Amino acid sequence: MANDKDTLLSMGFDSARVEWALKATNNRGLQPAMDHILEHEGQPVPDLSSVSASGPTAAPMDVDEDEEDAEALRAQLGVAPVATTGGEEAKSIKCTECGKIFKNTALANFHAEKSGHDQFEESTEEIKPLTEEEKKQKLAELREKMAEKRAKKAEEEAKEAKANEALRRKSGKDMDKIKEDLKVKEALKEAEQRKRDKIEDAKARAAVKAQIEADKKARAEKAAREKALREGQPLPEAASSQATPSATSASSGIAGKDFKETRLQIRMASGGQPYTTTLSSDALLREVAEFLAGQLLSVDVETVSFAQHFPRKAFSHADFSRSLRDLGLTPSAVLIASTP
């Protein structure tokens, strides 16, 4: 046992693991101990006071068991007695499935657990101890097995790390793509909104321009009529005056077209910052008053009044029940609010 321990220690194994392996295999030799170390590599070393040949909680078993234990093991393994002549004694146990021979039933039991073989018989062959050359060969085999196992483990860890990195990169790319798609959608949405605003502003400017032209013609006709009255001349024909309503209705038709929303800028007659809001074109003028009252505590819905500077127009409280569309305030307008 001391030689086996020294041999394992010389290979660089931890002393605690060597003690565990020797005790767990019940000091059955170098090979079982090496197999135990390989099989339990990476596992924590248990409390050695509870470790035996059958595991951490099994009862200990001596190599030189008594006849009752030997008979029990033979019965468990199904060992057939050897037919000997001349009083020759059985010196080993042989596995009839693979041909390996073992020094005692404990080693045979270890082989049965490891290989699954269950056919054994007693043999007269004597197991010779390992020579120094054989021990060196065993050590070389063990080192090769350990190197292969470590290389395989390192390869598996590298594959796992590579797979994890691929998943991380894919997740990052997916997230970047989602963010980029959102940015594109937002940019398209903003561009579409700017386009609609531009169209609405152009229509509003056209409506204002038409109203200006109509007002200009109306003033010219009025001036011509006043001049004719002063000079005693006949009144001019009302062609231009007939054009005025058509121009006004045209501009009103443009301004009152089916705009779903109306943008309003509300200024106080007393001065101060303007207030802007967007309401449905079907909203009532009273809702504008309610909006302004929500912005300024000094404004009362029942007493506030609204007017337009251009085209000049004043709205009475009777207009509070009319929609912004009917009042010609679409798609945008500037209102002047006054309070008593």
Side-chain angles (χ1 to χ4, degrees):
M1 180 187 74
N3 289 337
D4 293 340
K5 181 177 180 181
D6 293 339
T7 301
L8 294 170
L9 290 175
S10 67
M11 295 178 63
F13 290 116
D14 181 68
S15 176
R17 292 194 173 276
V18 172
E19 291 286 351
W20 179 24
L22 292 173
K23 190 167 184 180
T25 58
N26 210 11
N27 301 317
R28 293 194 294 259
L30 181 63
Q31 183 62 48
M34 288 190 295
D35 290 339
H36 183 278
I37 291 175
L38 285 175
E39 291 175 0
H40 297 82
E41 183 182 9
Q43 297 182 8
V45 179
D47 183 7
L48 297 182
S49 62
S50 61
V51 175
S52 69
S54 299
T57 59
M61 180 188 296
D62 295 330
V63 175
D64 298 327
E65 65 278 302
D66 56 26
E67 279 302 317
E68 292 182 0
D69 293 336
E71 289 299 331
L73 277 173
R74 289 191 184 95
Q76 177 182 351
L77 294 172
V79 177
V82 65
T84 59
T85 59
E88 190 174 4
E89 295 182 358
K91 297 180 179 179
S92 61
I93 297 176
K94 182 178 181 180
C95 176
T96 58
E97 296 186 40
C98 64
K100 290 185 178 180
I101 59 175
F102 305 96
K103 184 177 179 181
N104 51 47
T105 52
L107 290 174
N109 187 45
F110 181 80
H111 173 72
E113 293 176 355
K114 183 178 178 182
S115 65
H117 297 169
D118 58 0
Q119 300 298 321
F120 296 87
E121 65 180 6
E122 292 181 340
S123 173
T124 58
E125 295 182 54
E126 184 177 0
I127 299 177
K128 297 179 180 181
L130 293 176
T131 64
E132 290 300 323
E133 187 65 27
E134 289 173 335
K135 287 184 179 180
K136 290 181 181 179
Q137 184 179 356
K138 288 286 186 182
L139 291 176
E141 291 176 358
L142 178 60
R143 289 192 181 102
E144 185 177 353
K145 287 182 180 179
M146 292 182 63
E148 290 178 357
K149 189 172 182 179
R150 287 171 181 166
K152 185 177 180 181
K153 185 177 181 180
E155 183 179 355
E156 291 175 353
E157 290 177 350
K159 287 182 180 179
E160 184 178 356
K162 186 176 180 180
N164 291 338
E165 179 64 16
L167 287 174
R168 185 188 66 79
R169 289 183 179 180
K170 185 177 184 301
S171 177
K173 288 180 180 179
D174 292 344
M175 185 59 66
D176 291 340
K177 187 176 184 305
I178 291 173
K179 290 181 180 178
E180 189 64 27
D181 291 344
L182 287 175
K183 287 181 180 179
V184 171
K185 289 180 180 178
E186 288 295 328
L188 291 174
K189 186 177 179 181
E190 291 177 2
E192 187 66 24
Q193 183 61 44
R194 286 195 297 270
K195 184 178 179 181
R196 287 197 299 268
D197 292 345
K198 188 175 181 180
I199 293 173
E200 291 179 3
D201 289 342
K203 290 179 178 179
R205 285 194 296 272
V208 171
K209 185 177 180 181
Q211 185 65 45
I212 291 173
E213 292 297 327
D215 290 346
K216 187 185 295 184
K217 289 180 180 179
R219 286 195 297 271
E221 290 179 359
K222 182 179 180 181
R225 286 196 303 272
E226 290 177 351
K227 182 178 179 182
L229 289 173
R230 284 195 305 271
E231 295 177 356
Q233 299 290 334
L235 294 177
E237 296 182 1
S240 59
S241 63
Q242 293 175 357
T244 301
S246 61
T248 303
S249 61
S251 63
S252 176
I254 296 174
K257 200 172 180 181
D258 288 337
F259 293 104
K260 294 181 179 180
E261 294 183 341
T262 299
R263 291 181 299 156
L264 295 175
Q265 184 182 93
I266 307 170
R267 297 179 179 178
M268 298 300 297
S270 58
Q273 67 175 13
Y275 299 91
T276 58
T277 184
T278 300
L279 299 174
S280 169
S281 296
D282 294 323
L284 303 180
L285 185 60
R286 183 179 185 85
E287 295 181 40
V288 180
E290 292 173 351
F291 163 77
L292 187 60
Q295 305 298 316
L296 293 172
L297 297 177
S298 59
V299 173
D300 186 349
V301 175
E302 301 302 330
T303 59
V304 66
S305 60
F306 296 103
Q308 272 185 300
H309 281 343
F310 188 84
R312 185 173 296 278
K313 185 177 182 180
F315 301 98
S316 65
H317 273 269
D319 294 324
F320 275 31
S321 60
R322 298 178 63 188
S323 68
L324 302 180
R325 190 193 311 276
D326 294 339
L327 294 173
L329 298 177
T330 56
S332 62
V334 177
L335 295 178
I336 307 301
S338 302
T339 55

